[in-house]
Amino acid sequence: MQRRMILVALLSLVLLVPVAADAQKPIKVGMPMPLSGPPALFGDPATKGALMFVEELNAKGGVLGRKIELLVRDSKADANEAVRVARELILKDNVDFLVGTLTSAEGPAVSVVAKENKIVFIAPIPKTDQLTAADKLHPYVFRVAATTTMGGRSAAEIVAKWPVTRVATMSFDYAYGQDVTKAFVEHLKKVKPGVQIVDQQWPKLGEQDYNPFINAQMAKRPEAVFSSIWGGFFVTYSKQAKALGFFDAIKYNFIGVGEAATPETTKSMGADYPVGIWGNSYDAFYWGETSAHRDYVARLSKYLKDEYPSSWAIQGYIGMQFLTEAIRKANSTDSDKVAQALLGLAVETPMGKLTIREKDHQANRGQLYGKTVKDPQYPFAIMKPAVYVDPSPFMD
Amino acid sequence: MPDPSFVFAQSLSGLTAAMFLFLIASGLSLIFGVLRVLNFAHGTFYMLGAYSAYQIVQWLGPGPGRFWLAALGAALAVAALGGIVEHFLFRHLYDKEELYQLLFTYALVLILSDVAKIFWGTQQKSVSRPPELTGSFALFGATIPHYNLLILLLGPAIALAFWFVLQRTRAGRFIRAAALDRETLGALGVNVDRLYTVVFMLGSFLGGLGGALIAPMRATVPGMDTEVIVEAFVVVVIGGLGSFWGTFLGALIYGQVLSFGILLFPRFSIFAVFALMAAVLIVRPWGLLGRPLR
């Protein structure tokens, strides 16, 4: 008899547990992000930034009394794979929201999935204008990354102040490279009409030997060069350009908008970095303009166990910040209500106050720009001063 | 039309690219010529060569001569890995269909690139040029970095060394014989299994050396393996799979077509290279200097 009692008690306990757990059911967020191949260079730290945010938030009790559960999946930087993973996250894992994707191919592809399933999707890194263009926009897609228009125009604003007229460009021959270069050229011609584009080189995406391109460009004798070659490719490109005396020939009048001045890049290149060029970065641990940023860097440094933490973590962090703020504001996890709450939402991020515009669901996310210099404090070059360029005046 | 000094510089950069590609492709071609296996993992050996060079440089610290030690050490390490792969795994596939061999080398690409990621992470790594060779000099108005000159000279040097070994030494005769008729060579009392291992190690050594030597000119990142294998593949297809001088010729043509393609039609330079490959495949499917497969 007693045994049966115990059994019944146990059984009821088992039945009770899910009910108790249900009240604590976490809000599930799916994150498709490239974790393999070259783009993992950015996808991996961006994911870590999001994870840190989630851990910190959960430690404080989560949002609406519920914890956040982040489900990270490798999108392999491939649009088809990103779509497959996003679908699986929605259908199998029942995620409530999507935050993620990295390349300009993945972002728009996952946006379609979000539209079909009526799930809020926040893109923290893809830059293509297509993602939030009028014909592609729908109620559930939002972006907290900079765009090709914003990147190209920011660079044009800077180059316009240089005493140069003969300008050349060097970008990869695909959507991102073409769009950002076009935005740069058009805006530069507008703000400095006398300027002349003397050469445009288009190596293929992932090019490994830039010597012929650099030679061809030097023959046109440009005075300044704009480039959107990014990440590890910038390392390859600038090593070869430096060996050929390219930067000396253009007197370091060079601006790399493919995040050419991230601490990761200058650190990995050390003494090989072409110190004196201009570059940009989403973040830099040494920026520290606000106390919120200094605090963020200290926490990230501890979380990543890295003295000089990644500049890409911030994008995952900000993406999650916007999502959870919107959930709080909507006081609901209903996709339509959260999407509504995201319109015009302003959030105090470590980089300052950012706002998602109602008209195109785009945050005024600027980037840090600066001339790189050698600083005795660090064993690598830094942007000094690193200036946050607010794109608000030229987003349209 | 651009001035002559520029044309010279352009052809020189094409030549550097060619010699570098020859270094990689010769290993690929050698393995195919003897073992009749198209090793897709050759690019992965190249990547591991670059990573190993980076790692050894980190251990040794900066200083004159260190880079060369690192490059040699990296190439030897990759050769050892190649030996292990051939001896324990590849060996079982020689009798199987080509499809299985291809699948196996492809699996190797995936596995080894993940292993590299475990060791070195996803962050880009960079190796500096050796301090002896950081300078450059001017020739007919073109700037030539010392390091590029080294690659430029190393290509023909290795080609000659190879030619000598293959044509003038006993081991070379065995290797050539193995390429022609494995069974007969075995029947004559030559240990063909060991010969295969040695050839595979030699091919891997060249791939690893290529990766180590290119590290100062490029970033060492995940994904560099698949980028180079495509280029090396184009080179051997143009020149003729398994043909030694064909690989040399293929590399030269590739470099010049690419360089002058960039000069004349910047947006179609890649197209020019692949168009050339397609033309070769149509006219001489076995490549310019290759011989038809039996």
Side-chain angles (χ1 to χ4, degrees):
Chain A
M1 211 47 182
Q2 203 179 4
R3 186 180 290 169
R4 182 179 283 175
M5 283 272 287
I6 293 170
L7 260 176
V8 170
L10 268 177
L11 195 67
S12 49
L13 257 180
V14 170
L15 287 173
L16 262 174
V17 169
V19 180
D22 205 48
Q24 294 293 320
K25 212 175 85 177
I27 301 169
K28 285 183 171 183
V29 181
M31 179 168 273
M33 198 61 102
L35 300 174
S36 52
L41 182 62
F42 323 112
D44 186 53
T47 307
K48 300 258 172 62
L51 283 168
M52 178 175 95
F53 178 85
V54 168
E55 266 181 38
E56 291 176 350
L57 186 76
N58 285 348
K60 283 184 264 170
V63 62
L64 309 183
R66 290 168 68 184
K67 297 231 151 84
I68 300 276
E69 187 187 343
L70 193 64
L71 292 90
V72 181
R73 298 283 185 272
D74 186 2
S75 65
K76 305 199 170 123
D78 175 74
N80 290 325
E81 185 66 12
V83 163
R84 194 189 67 74
V85 167
R87 286 226 168 89
E88 193 179 276
L89 281 165
I90 293 168
L91 299 174
K92 212 178 107 220
D93 299 308
N94 294 313
V95 297
D96 304 286
F97 306 99
L98 289 172
V99 176
T101 70
L102 188 142
T103 70
S104 290
E106 294 173 288
V110 169
S111 172
V112 175
V113 177
K115 187 182 175 186
E116 281 166 13
N117 292 280
K118 296 191 168 34
I119 287 227
V120 167
F121 164 52
I122 300 179
I125 303 179
K127 283 187 175 173
T128 176
D129 285 333
Q130 292 293 319
L131 184 66
T132 48
D135 57 329
K136 301 269 167 43
L137 197 66
H138 59 81
Y140 305 100
V141 64
F142 300 87
R143 164 159 50 193
V144 296
T147 65
T148 46
T149 298
M150 288 148 68
R153 290 182 181 176
S154 300
E157 293 276 331
I158 291 167
V159 173
K161 296 195 184 85
W162 296 351
V164 297
T165 48
R166 297 172 62 82
V167 178
T169 69
M170 171 85 71
S171 291
F172 287 135
D173 197 6
Y174 79 120
Y176 164 70
Q178 288 163 4
D179 292 354
V180 72
T181 305
K182 188 164 154 253
F184 167 77
V185 169
E186 284 177 2
H187 197 65
L188 184 63
K189 282 184 171 159
K190 199 172 116 198
V191 291
K192 193 173 180 180
V195 87
Q196 197 190 344
I197 304 297
V198 294
D199 184 49
Q200 297 203 286
Q201 292 293 329
W202 303 99
K204 70 170 193 292
L205 174 59
E207 180 61 56
Q208 288 294 308
D209 185 1
Y210 297 91
N211 283 293
F213 300 95
I214 297 162
N215 273 325
Q217 190 145 82
M218 277 166 95
K220 304 280 173 60
R221 313 217 177 280
E223 294 168 321
V225 172
F226 164 92
S227 164
S228 65
I229 290 173
W230 47 267
F233 302 120
F234 178 77
V235 174
T236 300
Y237 163 72
S238 59
K239 273 163 112 172
Q240 294 171 5
K242 197 181 180 190
L244 287 170
F246 180 70
F247 296 111
D248 292 317
I250 58 169
K251 303 197 176 69
Y252 289 82
N253 287 322
F254 179 97
I255 187 160
V257 299
E259 285 76 34
T262 61
E264 291 96 310
T265 297
T266 63
K267 186 174 124 197
S268 74
M269 290 183 72
D272 294 333
Y273 193 82
V275 180
I277 64 163
W278 282 68
N280 65 340
S281 181
Y282 268 117
D283 186 17
F285 65 87
Y286 50 78
W287 182 57
E289 203 86 329
T290 61
S291 64
H293 184 259
R294 288 191 291 273
D295 184 52
Y296 161 81
V297 169
R299 275 151 40 220
L300 186 67
S301 177
K302 214 155 125 200
Y303 185 77
L304 297 176
K305 297 185 187 68
D306 191 343
E307 192 184 350
Y308 310 122
S310 168
S311 66
W312 289 90
I314 189 83
Q315 287 312 95
Y317 187 93
I318 290 179
M320 291 307 294
Q321 243 189 327
F322 266 99
L323 177 66
T324 48
E325 274 303 316
I327 294 171
R328 192 171 290 138
K329 184 175 152 197
N331 197 21
S332 159
T333 55
D334 178 73
S335 231
D336 289 289
K337 286 184 185 150
V338 173
Q340 200 59 40
L342 274 163
L343 296 175
L345 181 66
V347 169
E348 283 297 339
T349 75
M351 303 305 294
K353 188 168 139 188
L354 295 181
T355 311
I356 286 185
R357 302 202 299 184
E358 276 190 47
K359 62 186 243 190
D360 60 359
H361 300 193
Q362 169 67 43
N364 58 332
R365 174 67 165 113
Q367 288 188 295
L368 300 174
Y369 284 81
K371 188 180 169 73
T372 53
V373 296
K374 201 96 198 91
D375 187 301
Q377 254 188 293
Y378 306 104
F380 45 82
I382 65 166
M383 292 179 280
K384 202 168 184 179
V387 179
Y388 182 83
V389 177
D390 182 0
S392 302
F394 44 84
M395 277 170 77
D396 294 306
Chain B
M1 199 56 206
D3 58 278
S5 77
F6 167 67
V7 172
F8 175 69
Q10 197 71 349
S11 87
L12 215 59
S13 66
L15 209 58
T16 316
M19 285 309 103
F20 162 69
L21 266 179
F22 169 70
L23 205 60
I24 312 287
S26 62
L28 184 70
S29 188
L30 176 75
I31 291 175
F32 182 83
V34 178
L35 278 62
R36 296 280 147 195
V37 171
L38 190 57
N39 183 18
F40 263 133
H42 197 67
T44 309
F45 288 155
Y46 153 88
M47 177 177 80
L48 291 176
Y51 270 120
S52 308
Y54 163 80
Q55 194 57 58
I56 299 173
V57 165
Q58 292 297 307
W59 284 333
L60 294 177
R66 301 288 169 80
F67 174 75
W68 310 111
L69 246 119
L72 191 67
L76 288 173
V78 173
L81 178 71
I84 292 168
V85 166
E86 199 281 338
H87 187 79
F88 291 102
L89 305 168
F90 237 103
R91 173 146 305 185
H92 306 289
L93 289 165
Y94 292 132
D95 308 330
K96 303 277 191 308
E97 279 177 54
E98 274 126 7
L99 182 65
Y100 290 108
Q101 298 176 348
L102 272 186
L103 279 176
F104 174 77
T105 59
Y106 187 60
L108 215 54
V109 170
L110 297 178
I111 293 167
L112 288 178
S113 65
D114 265 0
V115 169
K117 209 159 67 182
I118 292 168
F119 276 118
W120 291 287
T122 53
Q123 292 285 336
Q124 68 244 36
K125 306 282 182 236
S126 180
V127 178
S128 298
R129 278 180 290 166
E132 311 76 280
L133 290 183
T134 45
S136 61
F137 66 100
L139 185 66
F140 302 127
T143 307
I144 305 166
H146 288 154
Y147 194 83
N148 290 21
L149 189 69
L150 169 89
I151 299 279
L152 214 59
L153 297 176
L154 205 66
I158 286 183
L160 279 176
F162 246 88
W163 176 82
F164 182 80
V165 168
L166 284 178
Q167 300 297 326
R168 292 279 183 271
T169 67
R170 191 177 154 81
R173 271 206 300 282
F174 285 158
I175 291 174
R176 279 184 294 143
L180 285 173
D181 193 334
R182 182 187 172 170
E183 279 80 18
T184 312
L185 190 65
L188 290 172
V190 173
N191 187 341
V192 179
D193 284 348
R194 192 186 299 158
L195 189 70
Y196 271 30
T197 310
V198 170
V199 168
F200 200 88
M201 285 176 75
L202 205 57
S204 312
F205 179 88
L206 287 172
L209 187 67
L213 288 180
I214 205 66
M217 294 162 77
R218 296 182 180 179
T220 303
V221 282
M224 66 189 289
D225 48 348
T226 41
E227 280 153 13
V228 82
I229 193 70
V230 175
E231 291 178 350
F233 195 68
V234 173
V235 164
V236 294
V237 166
I238 292 176
L241 258 172
S243 160
F244 177 70
W245 289 111
T247 308
F248 196 76
L249 183 66
L252 283 179
I253 294 175
Y254 183 100
Q256 294 307 319
V257 168
L258 194 66
S259 280
F260 284 96
I262 288 164
L263 177 58
L264 300 174
F265 346 88
R267 297 198 88 142
F268 300 100
S269 56
I270 291 298
F271 170 77
V273 170
F274 282 97
L276 180 72
M277 182 174 97
V280 168
L281 278 175
I282 291 165
V283 181
R284 276 179 76 91
W286 50 88
L288 294 177
L289 297 183
R291 47 200 160 78
L293 279 182
R294 282 147 293 162

